[in-house]
DNA sequence: TCATAGAGTTACCAAAGGGTAACCAGTCGC
DNA sequence: GCGACTGGTTACCCTTTGGTAACTCTATGA
């Protein structure tokens, strides 16, 4: 059935296919046989490219996380002031969600996996995002609260996205990004006055 | 070792103990033997009170969800205007997180379970919360966007809480609630002008 | 054309864990 | 004291599934 592929191509194909399968069915409800079937191949082939199910899964998380981080940091870097940073940041985030949306589900969907290692990977990604946002929050509150609020803002984008993605609703990332950014920016300024 | 207990008491005890175990280790990493051990009892006893692992888990989710909803709706009902509703609502939420914090982890922690059924239960709870918040958002944007933003606000509280609870940091729900409410309220008003 | 390397398969193992059948024991009413 | 009710236990089954050993097939280059 499936063509023979050179090793690197096969590896890529497995990664591509796995994102979809894991995103749709969750980690524990997806067996390696399921992945293999979806890739049009048998189980041992998977183990020629990845040491274990965990290993494969973590590779997927890592890749997805990188794409997210790159998109957002690039967008924020191109802005010239706080308000613009907020706007560009959220728009980039939602653009990523709309576009790479299996990856979003993998990282933040309700069915994402939750082992020790995956959790810490996902936490790291979230923390990095929060870290990038933190400076936007007024410096006149202590840094612990600053970080907590930053995590809140990440949750804001995440919550809105999950709502949309999980019910398969199409949405315009520019419009949504603008609205959320307006909301967040006004909120950020309110905390200033604390 | 463990005293004999009348059935309803045993059931309660199992529920109490299960919340902790599941919250700490996640659904899939917790076997029924683990639960039984923690309850000081053996496996078949669990099956005298619950049909299956799923069944037990769903009962826990349901209870936790009810406690959350009751706390928040009561608090919001006692307010007299939008700003106060926001404030009371968030404070009640964070008070619940601080107090019933295994339940929070169970519902929204990184290690929460994700089967078909659990997901839909958790989604229902989230949606109910969002539904309660939605009216606070200006009526001059369409109701789809309204609901999306409401889910965003739920995510805001969730994200901040998860950050705190998962690293075991103590926090003052009143202070945090006030800050987040300030932020959210300012944000909500900004969307008005949108 | 034939040897070789690497892609892929079949058939299997072993552990984990949900769930149950059959049995035991303490206590309460008579 | 005695039967029976109910809380509890031991010992087991059986499916699922991650992981692997040993084999086969196909293409390529000398």
């Amino acid at each position: 059935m499936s063509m023979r592929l050179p090793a690197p191509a096969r590896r890529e194909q497995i990664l591509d296919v796995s994102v979809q399968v894991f995103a749709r069915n969750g980690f524990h409800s997806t067996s390696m046989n399921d992945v293999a079937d979806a890739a049009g191949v048998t189980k041992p082939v998977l183990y020629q490219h990845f040491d274990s199910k965990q290993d494969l899964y973590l590779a997927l998380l890592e890749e997805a996380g990188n794409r997210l981080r790159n998109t957002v940091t690039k967008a924020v870097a191109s802005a010239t002031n706080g308000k613009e940073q907020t706007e560009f940041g959220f728009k980039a985030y939602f653009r990523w969600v709309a576009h790479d949306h299996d990856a979003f589900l993998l990282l933040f969907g309700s069915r994402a996996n939750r082992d020790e290692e995956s959790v810490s990977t996902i936490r790291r990604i979230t923390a990095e995002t929060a870290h990038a946002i933190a400076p936007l929050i007024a410096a006149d509150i202590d840094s612990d609260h600053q970080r907590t609020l930053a995590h809140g803002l990440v949750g804001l984008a995440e919550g809105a996205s999950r709502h949309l993605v999980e019910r398969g609703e199409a949405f315009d990332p520019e419009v949504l990004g603008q609205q959320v950014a307006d909301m967040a920016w006004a909120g950020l300024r309110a905390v200033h006055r604390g």
Side-chain angles (χ1 to χ4, degrees), chain A residues 60-79:
Chain A
L60 293 175
L61 292 184
E62 214 63 61
E63 282 210 340
N66 285 340
R67 289 199 295 273
L68 166 58
R69 194 184 35 223
N70 288 344
T71 313
V72 174
T73 52
K74 236 185 227 168
V76 171
S78 75

Side-chain angles (χ1 to χ4, degrees), chain A residues 69 72-73 76 123-137 143 146-154:
Chain A
R69 194 184 35 223
V72 174
T73 52
V76 171
R123 273 217 269 266
R124 212 195 56 232
I125 294 167
T126 304
E128 281 171 11
T129 315
H131 184 77
I133 288 177
L136 291 173
I137 302 172
S143 69
Q146 216 179 42
R147 238 181 326 172
T148 302
L149 292 178
H151 274 84
L153 286 179
V154 174

Side-chain angles (χ1 to χ4, degrees), chain A residues 7 14 53 109 120 123:
Chain A
I14 290 172
K53 192 183 178 185
S120 77
R123 273 217 269 266

Side-chain angles (χ1 to χ4, degrees), chain A residues 60-112:
Chain A
L60 293 175
L61 292 184
E62 214 63 61
E63 282 210 340
N66 285 340
R67 289 199 295 273
L68 166 58
R69 194 184 35 223
N70 288 344
T71 313
V72 174
T73 52
K74 236 185 227 168
V76 171
S78 75
T80 59
N81 59 55
K83 184 170 180 174
E84 225 178 50
Q85 286 180 332
T86 309
E87 197 182 310
F88 289 9
F90 277 111
K91 282 185 181 172
Y93 184 94
F94 289 117
R95 236 179 279 128
W96 171 74
V97 173
H99 173 262
D100 197 3
H101 93 275
D102 279 329
F104 172 79
L105 284 175
L106 201 74
L107 287 172
F108 306 118
S110 296
R111 315 217 43 185

Side-chain angles (χ1 to χ4, degrees), chain A residues 157-180:
Chain A
E158 208 179 295
S161 301
R162 187 159 40 230
H163 172 68
L164 291 167
V165 172
E166 286 189 349
R167 52 189 62 195
E169 284 179 26
F171 64 97
D172 182 340
E174 308 301 325
V175 173
L176 180 60
Q178 186 68 56
Q179 270 176 353
V180 172

